[in-house]
Amino acid sequence: MKRRNFLKAGSLGVVGAMTGITGLITWSSRAYSATINKTYYITDGQIPQSDGTNVYFKGFSSSSGSLNVPGESLIVQEGDTVNITIVNTLNTTHSFVIDGVVDSGNISGGSTKTISFTANQTGSFMFYDKLNAPYNRVIGLHGGFAVMPQGSSDELYSGSRTFKKQLFWVLNEVDPAWNVRIQNGQTPNTAFVPRYFTINGLSARPPGAPEYSDPNRDSGYDPRTKLSGYIGDRTLIRCLNAGMCEHSLHWHANHLEYLTKNGQVRNSVWLKDIIGIDNNMGQFDAIYPFEPPPDAYPAVTQGHYVMHLHDEMTQTAGGGLYQFGAATAIVFK
Amino acid sequence: MKSSGGGMGGGGMGGACYTYPGAPATPGLTTADVTFNRSIYMNGSMTMDDGRNVTIWGFNDDGGGGMGGMGGTFPSPPIRVNQGQLVHTVLNNEEMMWLHTIHHHGIEPSTENDGVGHTSFDLQGTYTYQWLASHAGTYFYHCHTNTPLHAEMGMYGALIIDPPEGPGRAFAGGPSYDVEAIWAVDEIDSSWRGLNWDAGTCGGDVGLNVLNPDYFIISGVDGAQSALTDSRVAVKMNRGESLLVRYINAGFLPQTIRFGGLTGSIVASDGRALPMAESATSIDSVAAERFDVMITPSSSGSYTVEIDIKHWVTGAVLGTARTRITVN
């Protein structure tokens, strides 16, 4: 995390061995630094969109037989040694980059490369394929990476406002015409006109629709995405935009505590019901506080609400189908 | 959760899908401090500076009479209350041909009163939205049924919560103002006109993913020329007075507002006071974001305020709406 006042360097503790730490809603802190090993397999295939249309993607996948878009998120702790192995199962050249942290360089088709770095900046990051920009990123080669402060389980950076849970929201849009060109080894030759809008690779479904409430298909019920909690279950959202469009995110029922924009800690914490995110790798961090909705009368502590993008074109699929776009559920349990 | 299961609505709603018609009793309904009555019109129009008429949908203040469909003001009439008041917004949608809701954007009520179809109901009949005005600031209200279309067609109005003592300050203990402007800046794509209220809900490409606006407006006034002088938008004030600009991005695209060389002080955003005011000569905003900006000009003059509406991919300026602050 870049801070305006100071930059806390990673302090090295005892190096322990720890593997397989991946995207977690809750995080257990350690008093020592660890070595984290993670392997991503670059794979490709078709993923059905919310209207049933199949679209070609590539991903940083968790196994050679799967296709994960985005790649499984990875959370480490400040001071950890991180070893990332990339197995490129395709015949095209790719890379693995976290800006300001690590750049694998070219990983040619069929080859494997391991890169190592020390996680010395807390905060939220995107890992992505920087080659053939922006196409390799937009086609699906991206994911979320976070560095927790050493010894802390509830802060974004040392001294930040605290949370109980954390989520990555990786945004993307899909113009199938681009994906077809990239699949065929061609450069897209049309303006980007998105037809599908995703959070963590999925779009929403309304009640009654096929796949409604399927946690593997409906972004409203995907546990990586859905905001669900009791009063006080403050949830950090690490939002990363892999896509080509600038967006507006709108939460119902609570204002958020808006902590960072594009990796910078903000001057002061604003309470917002709208937070904008820049295109081409914009990001923010914000906490959804799960406070009783303040304007309810009679007062309530339970309810079912929505988070949706407010650039409402994003609430569609294939040019129609309102409620099949980039949205998720907010459940006060 | 109520669901029509993707089936048909009742009473002439044709082939609408994934709508959730209903008109339940308001939970815990009690006497309100202030009540607003709203009905629907879908045959309004706005005359642009180039002479074209563009179809507008919106809400009328029907005084409780429920006369829908007769055309109406644009933007829809404001809802303005004092902090601490219990509010009823009574929406009369007795017409059986369409569904609508009111979502009070930034207001955070119970699920039933949030006006989101798929978590509660799309109104078919009459419903009293009951909510508490707990935080002073700038909000807006809009329809949340087939929202890409209904909001673009104009179904929105300002929602202002004044401090408990009434207008005059941005919020309790906040800065006082002498003059107030409410600028809801929106873009209009005239090619979206002509769609039915339920366009696209059953699938098929009706183009709701592509917004190519050709008009850029401020609070229902064309920003090409009219808004420079129209008294609903343009500000006339005296040196030494303070102006509160309530700026609402009422469109879908990113905007940048520039204050014509004046420096403002952002005191609140999205209905919440800032921990510390921030000075600004311009502000970037995204869809539905609000900023409350205090401007106290130190010298007389004519200041042209410009709002650029930008493409969401390229950032190219698609159009600029203009108004004016004249300081005597």
Side-chain angles (χ1 to χ4, degrees):
Chain A
M1 180 61 51
K2 293 184 279 277
R3 305 199 62 180
R4 288 209 163 85
N5 300 326
F6 65 97
L7 196 67
K8 185 169 183 288
S11 51
L12 292 175
V14 179
V15 176
M18 206 167 194
T19 59
I21 304 296
T22 55
L24 297 171
I25 288 175
T26 57
W27 168 261
S28 299
S29 63
R30 287 178 263 112
Y32 54 89
S33 297
T35 298
I36 308 297
N37 299 308
K38 174 71 180 173
T39 300
Y40 289 109
Y41 301 82
I42 297 176
T43 63
D44 68 350
Q46 303 282 328
I47 297 177
Q49 300 303 292
S50 55
D51 66 352
T53 299
N54 275 310
V55 177
Y56 174 84
F57 288 89
K58 298 180 182 181
F60 287 113
S61 302
S62 297
S63 74
S64 60
S66 67
L67 173 58
N68 297 77
V69 178
E72 189 177 21
S73 57
L74 180 63
I75 302 177
V76 304
Q77 184 173 288
E78 186 180 18
D80 285 352
T81 299
V82 183
N83 302 316
I84 306 263
T85 299
I86 306 295
V87 180
N88 184 356
T89 75
L90 306 181
N91 58 19
T92 44
T93 300
H94 294 286
S95 71
F96 180 98
V97 174
I98 301 171
D99 283 330
V101 176
V102 69
D103 185 337
S104 71
N106 288 358
I107 306 170
S108 57
S111 71
T112 295
K113 195 167 191 174
T114 297
I115 52 175
S116 299
F117 60 94
T118 302
N120 54 20
Q121 278 191 26
T122 57
S124 308
F125 304 85
M126 185 184 298
F127 63 81
Y128 69 109
D129 178 3
K130 199 167 189 167
L131 300 179
N132 196 28
Y135 307 114
N136 290 1
R137 183 189 82 231
V138 172
I139 199 78
L141 289 165
H142 58 255
F145 174 71
V147 181
M148 294 288 294
Q150 190 164 54
S152 175
S153 62
D154 62 358
E155 294 167 300
L156 175 63
Y157 55 87
S158 180
S160 81
R161 295 198 182 193
T162 59
F163 57 85
K164 289 189 174 177
K165 302 178 177 180
Q166 56 179 312
L167 301 172
F168 285 92
W169 284 2
V170 182
L171 309 183
N172 197 21
E173 316 96 18
V174 182
D175 178 350
W178 275 35
N179 294 44
V180 165
R181 295 278 300 185
I182 295 167
Q183 179 180 10
N184 294 330
Q186 301 163 317
T187 299
N189 60 354
T190 52
F192 185 75
V193 182
R195 292 175 66 78
Y196 305 102
F197 304 90
T198 58
I199 306 172
N200 293 329
L202 298 177
S203 305
R205 309 291 190 283
E211 303 179 323
Y212 170 68
S213 78
D214 179 344
N216 296 306
R217 298 290 302 142
D218 178 353
S219 60
Y221 285 81
D222 177 353
R224 298 172 303 171
T225 307
K226 179 182 185 178
L227 277 167
S228 180
Y230 295 96
I231 297 300
D233 282 350
R234 296 166 54 81
T235 303
L236 173 70
I237 299 165
R238 302 178 186 268
C239 192
L240 306 165
N241 190 359
M244 300 287 292
C245 298
E246 183 174 353
H247 291 299
S248 163
L249 288 85
H250 173 49
W251 294 257
H252 290 226
N254 272 185
H255 280 55
L256 285 88
E257 299 166 13
Y258 181 17
L259 302 182
T260 81
K261 179 181 175 66
N262 294 336
Q264 290 281 346
V265 176
R266 302 185 69 259
N267 283 331
S268 62
V269 177
W270 293 12
L271 302 178
K272 297 283 287 176
D273 64 60
I274 292 278
I275 298 180
I277 189 164
D278 292 344
N279 58 358
N280 293 310
M281 305 186 59
Q283 64 180 80
F284 68 82
D285 298 288
I287 291 173
Y288 192 85
F290 275 106
E291 294 168 349
D295 304 311
Y297 190 91
V300 297
T301 57
Q302 296 179 311
H304 196 119
Y305 299 92
V306 290
M307 190 295 302
H308 60 91
L309 275 57
H310 218 288
D311 38 348
E312 294 279 345
M313 303 83 79
T314 61
Q315 299 307 290
T316 63
L321 283 176
Y322 173 58
Q323 302 167 122
F324 287 70
T328 193
I330 302 173
V331 177
F332 284 66
K333 295 193 283 192
Chain B
M1 182 178 305
K2 298 171 182 66
S3 170
S4 63
M8 309 269 287
M13 280 184 289
C17 297
Y18 310 115
T19 57
Y20 309 92
T26 302
L29 186 70
T30 187
T31 303
D33 297 310
V34 56
T35 298
F36 297 87
N37 294 287
R38 292 290 179 271
S39 58
I40 304 293
Y41 70 87
M42 295 180 71
N43 61 347
S45 73
M46 176 179 168
T47 302
M48 299 299 177
D49 286 344
D50 63 7
R52 282 184 66 195
N53 288 314
V54 173
T55 302
I56 297 292
W57 303 347
F59 302 98
N60 273 325
D61 183 346
D62 71 359
M67 289 297 290
M70 302 301 287
T73 59
F74 175 58
S76 301
I79 292 176
R80 186 157 196 160
V81 301
N82 292 345
Q83 182 179 334
Q85 287 185 311
L86 184 67
V87 187
H88 283 172
T89 309
V90 182
L91 178 58
N92 178 327
N93 189 30
E94 297 291 345
E95 296 281 349
M96 301 302 279
M97 301 299 290
W98 53 60
L99 298 173
H100 296 286
T101 71
I102 288 180
H103 169 60
H104 303 82
H105 183 111
I107 303 299
E108 294 163 341
S110 65
T111 300
E112 296 84 352
N113 293 296
D114 200 31
V116 175
H118 75 269
T119 58
S120 56
F121 54 92
D122 298 292
L123 181 57
Q124 183 180 45
T126 297
Y127 182 76
T128 299
Y129 295 96
Q130 176 168 282
W131 52 279
L132 189 64
S134 63
H135 291 84
T138 303
Y139 304 81
F140 70 132
Y141 68 99
H142 62 80
C143 181
H144 218 295
T145 299
N146 204 11
T147 320
L149 180 61
H150 290 211
E152 161 62 18
M153 292 301 288
M155 301 193 75
Y156 62 82
L159 194 171
I160 308 296
I161 301 180
D162 290 303
E165 64 273 19
R169 290 186 184 274
F171 47 88
S176 63
Y177 56 88
D178 306 296
V179 182
E180 179 184 45
I182 302 172
W183 291 338
V185 183
D186 188 12
E187 71 281 317
I188 285 182
D189 182 343
S190 58
S191 77
W192 282 32
R193 271 61 196 168
L195 294 172
N196 289 328
W197 72 272
D198 58 351
T201 57
C202 297
D205 186 348
V206 294
L208 294 181
N209 61 321
V210 179
L211 187 72
N212 287 316
D214 44 358
Y215 296 103
F216 307 90
I217 65 173
I218 306 174
S219 302
V221 178
D222 195 337
Q225 280 297 323
S226 291
L228 284 167
T229 52
D230 191 300
S231 61
R232 290 171 290 175
V233 179
V235 172
K236 289 187 188 309
M237 60 189 296
N238 297 315
R239 195 155 48 97
E241 290 183 327
S242 292
L243 167 67
L244 174 62
V245 173
R246 299 182 184 272
Y247 164 54
I248 303 168
N249 182 330
F252 295 161
L253 296 175
Q255 301 178 359
T256 299
I257 184 169
R258 295 182 297 276
F259 298 112
L262 295 169
T263 298
S265 174
I266 308 171
V267 298
S269 180
D270 294 358
R272 296 293 184 274
L274 303 191
M276 49 186 175
E278 295 192 7
S279 68
T281 56
S282 69
I283 300 172
D284 294 330
S285 73
V286 294
E289 199 169 22
R290 291 91 64 211
F291 291 92
D292 295 356
V293 185
M294 293 293 305
I295 299 177
T296 307
S298 56
S299 53
S300 57
S302 177
Y303 304 91
T304 300
V305 176
E306 298 174 303
I307 305 101
D308 291 336
I309 290 86
K310 299 180 288 186
H311 195 282
W312 65 343
V313 176
T314 66
V317 176
L318 301 174
T320 301
R322 291 179 177 83
T323 186
R324 188 171 287 150
I325 299 171
T326 303
V327 182
N328 294 313

